[in-house]
């Protein structure tokens, strides 16, 4: 999207100008989340794969945004987004 704008070719005596419009494609899920089971006190890892590497993602539980903390670790490695939940407890279901 940052490449959008007017471009000009200048030959010294003449110029020609054109506009470039960039259609931003939506981020799609190449691999969706799968159900996970974990033992109480253990660690659970949820991951999915998105179509655009390093696109911003947001994790939520029941509509509430999950912020990184000692309990929740959020990673984005290329096109793989991970949520790591430490010290899993029944309320995390």
């Amino acid at each position: 999207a940052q490449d959008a704008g007017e471009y000009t070719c200048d030959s010294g005596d003449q110029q020609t100008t054109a506009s470039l419009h960039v259609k931003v494609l939506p981020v799609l899920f190449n691999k969706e989340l799968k159900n996970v089971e974990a033992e109480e006190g253990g660690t659970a890892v949820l991951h999915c794969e998105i179509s655009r590497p390093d696109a911003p993602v947001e994790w939520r539980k029941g509509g509430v945004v999950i912020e990184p903390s000692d309990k929740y670790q959020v990673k984005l490695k290329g096109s793989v987004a991970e949520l790591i939940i430490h010290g899993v407890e029944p309320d995390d279901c």
Side-chain angles (χ1 to χ4, degrees):
Q2 63 266 19
D3 293 326
E6 280 199 0
Y7 288 83
T8 302
C9 182
D10 190 330
S11 68
D13 294 337
Q14 295 184 7
Q15 288 183 353
T16 182
T17 301
S19 294
L20 172 63
H21 300 278
V22 178
K23 182 179 177 184
V24 178
L25 298 174
V27 177
L28 303 173
F29 290 100
N30 293 336
K31 291 185 183 175
E32 295 188 1
L33 288 173
K34 293 188 178 185
N35 295 337
V36 172
E37 287 188 22
E39 290 187 15
E40 187 173 5
T43 300
V45 180
L46 298 166
H47 64 273
C48 59
E49 186 176 321
I50 54 178
S51 61
R52 188 181 317 144
D54 300 317
V57 298
E58 186 175 77
W59 289 91
R60 296 183 192 148
K61 180 186 178 214
V64 177
V65 175
I66 295 173
E67 298 292 337
S69 64
D70 290 339
K71 182 169 186 73
Y72 298 109
Q73 185 178 3
V74 176
K75 292 184 176 181
L76 182 59
K77 295 182 261 180
S79 60
V80 177
E82 284 187 339
L83 173 65
I84 302 167
I85 306 170
H86 300 283
V88 175
E89 48 194 295
D91 286 346
D92 293 319
C93 289

